[in-house]
Amino acid sequence: MRFLTAGLFAGIFAGLASQPLLAADTTIVGTVRIQCLSDSLARLEVRGAEGFEDRPTFHVVNRDWPGTTVTTNASAAEVVVRTPNYSVHVPAGATSLAGVYLTSAAGQTLYAYDGKLNNSVWLPGPAAKPQAWSFADTPRLVPPAWGIAPAPAGAPLAASSGWDTNNDAADVYVFVPGGSYQQLRQDFLKLTGPTPLIPLYALGAWDSRWFDYSEATALAQVDAYRSRQFPLDVLVCDTGWRVNASTGYQPNTNLFPDLPHFFAAAHAKNVRVMFNDHPEPVAAGALDPQEVTYRYTNLTQLLGEGLDVWWYDRNWNISLFSPASNLRHEVWGMRVYHDATAATNATLRPMIMVNVDGIDNGMRNRPMNVAAHTYPIQWTGDIGPSSLYLKNAVENAVHSGVQALFPYESDDLGGHTSDPTPEGYIRWIEYGALSPIYRPHCTYNLTRMPWTFGPEAEWTARRFVNLRYRLLPVFYAAARENYDTGEPILRRLDLDYPQYPEASQEDQYLIGHSLLVAPVIGDSGTPVPAAWLTTTTGQPGLNAAYYANTNLAGAPDLARVDASIDFNWNSASPGGTVPAVNFTARWTGNITVPPDMGNISLAALSDDGVRVWLNGQLCIDNWGPNDSVTTGATNVLQAGLTYALRVEYLQ
């Protein structure tokens, strides 16, 4: 609860050839193999059931490395493999990575194996001057030469559709960049693959909402944008395109009697089409031939009929299974949908949309899988419209570009779950126009078309979308540079100014190398200062009463003085015996606007319900289930005056 003031080239990497290093760069100790891939990267590998692994895997696609000068010294206790930049120490007769460690040329310990195999780790930022960093190729899955397609007759490992899951073993890559973020990034992308360059149309304007379009209404939506002088490149049809609107691939012929005709008509209007897919597994295993055949056949069939982009949506109550416990299903889904797209449109740049690995409904919870950056684009889930989510959107996109090397993060601009205020909508659109992907979106039967938020929002959105189109050469050049070097599209300032601590802030960025952007976050409101508030007895703060029920009934379960109303409890209790959900609160006291502030109006950002009285008059009334909704007051507070205040809140 917050009380505010408000003013008036991609491909299927499995096809890359294996290029084992020369024997001089490889040392085997017991069942452990040390490969000095370069003077800044070492591989520590335990022999698997099928031997040491030289094939491309799910996480590691390029084994063509130059090697480096190596000398080896052995004693009764250990074998030391030395390069000019680092040394690898392996216990004699090793049968695991236990006791394996790396030291610098000066003898400082850089890395020691701790028994943990992790495929999701943030890269350190430029100012960290990284000396060592590592990840594990786990689970070690070896794809078939034909990618995700069903295994052809007589193919090996047909029970898993050609994927070899039998040679999993500890396999760790230790990077020794000597303090250079750029060296670390270069080595990481060479090993795992670059982020593919997306098609130019994807950098244009999108229209997206959860709405049951028909062919006629979908094409009319395109015409509505054009008639109001808005450019449009991508039209998203969420789930209503199919029977039952949630699972399966049978088109809803009441809405789309002829899908190829619809796709051709949309293309004639120079618009690409994306369909949402909530995939329901048809077999118990991700690699079961029945599941692989069903998914591949249906995904490629619609792509062959003219669909441009698949949206794999695991933000639902169903999703794909993963072939391994330590590989998240959204990351596996990236591979499934990417390979089907690449196989169908071999001459085009395959693009999909999937959930960001590690960001759940706008909240950054964990690092991205080290393979996930190779599957653009990704979106942050079902977010709310409030300034908190906008703040997260900006910071997540900037952070992901630098420390996950993923440049194409997308958000539901305007929020998915409910409507923003007109000013809040404008703030989302302003940021979205200067972000990697411009894609407004919302839940069922809401709208995100600019003209539905009033004339000012429409005028501002048109101005910013047209600005984005004028900047398309800048965005595309930045996208190409990202493919070549890993430089993010939204460049955090410490990439250029690592000597300044404030440069690592993630609320501002450069587009390319020349355009500085500092988005305005949310409405123009700020939390009501504590200095404006006094209790009924004249003490600082407000009298607060919390009730363990949803109707403010009975004696309060917690009474205290709160300095202000600016809380984000998430799933925690406000305190005492008050539950984390299904409670109410009441604050009473006075609010005084300082004479030098000028007149102000009030607003409340609430999840869920809120009511506000000034001098006994109800001025904010939004009581009921809401998701981060800002509600403005109906009157204005005069500077220099004191008002009796009562605020009630429902969770």
Side-chain angles (χ1 to χ4, degrees):
M1 172 61 192
R2 173 171 281 191
F3 195 31
L4 306 172
T5 65
L8 300 176
F9 147 95
I12 302 175
F13 288 121
L16 293 174
S18 173
Q19 298 287 340
L21 291 174
L22 299 175
D25 303 301
T26 300
T27 303
I28 296 176
V29 182
T31 59
V32 172
R33 179 169 71 167
I34 306 302
Q35 288 185 298
C36 298
L37 302 179
S38 73
D39 202 31
S40 54
L41 178 59
R43 181 189 185 190
L44 320 176
E45 178 195 10
V46 176
R47 187 169 61 207
E50 298 176 352
F52 294 115
E53 188 57 75
D54 290 318
R55 296 170 292 179
T57 63
F58 184 91
H59 295 102
V60 176
V61 301
N62 180 21
R63 302 191 186 281
D64 183 11
W65 285 78
T68 187
T69 303
V70 168
T71 60
T72 303
N73 295 321
S75 68
E78 68 174 8
V79 174
V80 181
V81 181
R82 290 190 172 87
T83 77
N85 194 37
Y86 61 85
S87 297
V88 184
H89 302 251
V90 187
T95 58
S96 72
L97 297 185
V100 177
Y101 65 100
L102 268 72
T103 57
S104 67
Q108 177 186 9
T109 299
L110 298 172
Y111 165 87
Y113 179 68
D114 60 3
K116 299 177 182 178
L117 298 174
N118 196 344
N119 61 21
S120 301
V121 192
W122 294 117
L123 271 74
K129 299 188 180 303
Q131 299 300 314
W133 182 81
S134 66
F135 76 84
D137 183 3
T138 180
R140 196 163 65 182
L141 306 175
V142 179
W146 53 89
I148 201 69
L157 303 168
S160 61
S161 295
W163 284 77
D164 189 350
T165 63
N166 299 318
N167 203 33
D168 198 16
D171 193 356
V172 176
Y173 292 82
V174 183
F175 298 77
V176 188
S180 170
Y181 167 83
Q182 285 73 20
Q183 182 67 55
L184 172 59
R185 186 177 68 193
Q186 174 183 314
D187 289 347
F188 175 80
L189 293 175
K190 180 176 181 179
L191 187 70
T192 61
T195 302
L197 180 60
I198 65 174
L200 177 61
Y201 72 79
L203 294 173
W206 298 46
D207 174 79
S208 181
R209 55 178 175 148
W210 182 4
F211 180 79
D212 292 338
Y213 282 113
S214 65
E215 175 173 335
T217 58
L219 297 176
Q221 181 78 337
V222 177
D223 293 338
Y225 274 88
R226 301 280 167 75
S227 68
R228 293 175 180 267
Q229 289 77 53
F230 278 95
L232 188 68
D233 276 282
V234 182
L235 179 69
V236 180
C237 297
D238 203 294
T239 63
W241 61 271
R242 56 185 165 192
V243 174
N244 300 321
S246 60
T247 60
Y249 297 93
Q250 185 64 36
N252 184 339
T253 54
N254 292 325
L255 299 176
F256 294 97
D258 186 343
L259 276 180
H261 180 272
F262 166 63
F263 296 140
H267 294 161
K269 293 179 180 290
N270 294 317
V271 167
R272 310 302 177 105
V273 179
M274 181 168 79
F275 275 3
N276 179 294
D277 188 15
H278 293 127
E280 184 171 10
V282 297
L287 297 179
D288 186 293
Q290 180 185 0
E291 166 65 24
V292 171
T293 300
Y294 173 80
R295 197 70 50 202
Y296 180 85
T297 299
N298 285 286
L299 294 178
T300 57
Q301 177 177 331
L302 270 79
L303 290 165
E305 291 177 356
L307 179 67
D308 298 287
V309 186
W310 274 116
W311 174 0
Y312 166 42
D313 186 353
R314 67 96 175 125
N315 227 50
W316 201 246
N317 55 359
I318 54 173
S319 65
L320 295 178
F321 294 125
S322 169
S325 60
N326 56 341
L327 182 66
R328 297 184 64 89
H329 55 260
E330 55 262 59
V331 182
W332 174 248
M334 295 175 189
R335 180 74 190 234
V336 172
Y337 284 74
H338 169 273
D339 282 10
T341 303
T344 307
N345 298 323
T347 62
L348 303 177
R349 298 173 189 163
M351 187 183 74
I352 56 175
M353 190 165 96
V354 295
N355 292 83
V356 176
D357 178 34
I359 298 178
D360 303 307
N361 296 335
M363 301 299 173
R364 190 194 312 156
N365 292 324
R366 62 190 179 277
M368 185 179 286
N369 180 282
V370 295
H373 69 281
T374 61
Y375 302 106
I377 62 173
Q378 299 172 26
W379 115 102
T380 60
D382 294 346
I383 61 175
S386 72
S387 58
L388 171 63
Y389 286 102
L390 177 54
K391 177 177 181 291
N392 288 346
V394 177
E395 293 179 352
N396 287 336
V398 176
H399 186 87
S400 295
V402 178
Q403 296 190 238
L405 302 190
F406 185 73
Y408 296 111
E409 196 164 289
S410 166
D411 297 277
D412 291 348
L413 299 176
H416 171 86
T417 57
S418 57
D419 280 333
T421 64
E423 184 181 354
Y425 176 81
I426 288 171
R427 298 309 184 195
W428 275 103
I429 294 303
E430 288 171 343
Y431 162 66
L434 297 172
S435 72
I437 302 295
Y438 177 83
R439 187 187 57 84
H441 184 72
C442 56
T443 192
Y444 193 65
N445 281 345
L446 297 181
T447 68
R448 286 293 174 266
M449 293 83 79
W451 53 90
T452 64
F453 286 86
E456 182 180 5
E458 180 179 356
W459 180 86
T460 305
R462 185 182 296 107
R463 178 168 171 256
F464 271 84
V465 173
N466 286 330
L467 171 64
R468 179 181 183 87
Y469 274 77
R470 291 198 300 274
L471 291 174
L472 277 183
V474 177
F475 275 102
Y476 195 74
R480 175 64 202 224
E481 184 176 13
N482 173 265
Y483 172 73
D484 290 335
T485 69
E487 287 284 301
I489 295 175
L490 306 188
R491 292 172 50 82
R492 203 170 69 188
L493 297 181
D494 60 347
L495 289 168
D496 296 297
Y497 309 103
Q499 69 273 30
Y500 298 108
E502 60 268 34
S504 62
Q505 293 176 196
E506 293 172 338
D507 58 355
Q508 57 186 332
Y509 53 86
L510 292 168
I511 299 177
H513 294 267
S514 56
L515 296 178
L516 177 63
V517 180
V520 176
I521 303 298
D523 296 355
S524 57
T526 57
V528 172
W532 295 12
L533 305 174
T534 55
T535 67
T536 53
T537 60
Q539 303 302 310
L542 295 171
N543 300 102
Y546 295 83
Y547 301 82
N549 56 66
T550 58
N551 54 7
L552 298 156
D557 294 84
L558 173 65
R560 67 189 186 195
V561 173
D562 287 334
S564 63
I565 306 176
D566 187 14
F567 298 103
N568 185 5
W569 291 299
N570 288 321
S571 58
S573 163
T577 59
V578 181
V581 295
N582 296 320
F583 70 86
T584 45
R586 177 184 290 125
W587 293 270
T588 55
N590 301 294
I591 178 171
T592 302
V593 181
D596 59 351
M597 280 297 299
N599 298 337
I600 63 104
S601 60
L602 295 176
L605 169 60
S606 62
D607 178 355
D608 292 290
V610 63
R611 294 188 291 237
V612 179
W613 288 262
L614 289 169
N615 289 340
Q617 177 186 356
L618 183 64
C619 63
I620 293 178
D621 187 7
N622 192 7
W623 197 254
N626 293 295
D627 190 340
S628 299
V629 171
T630 301
T631 308
T634 57
N635 54 355
V636 174
L637 280 67
Q638 301 298 312
L641 298 184
T642 297
Y643 297 80
L645 174 68
R646 184 168 106 224
V647 180
E648 294 179 349
Y649 170 66
L650 165 68
Q651 209 301 319

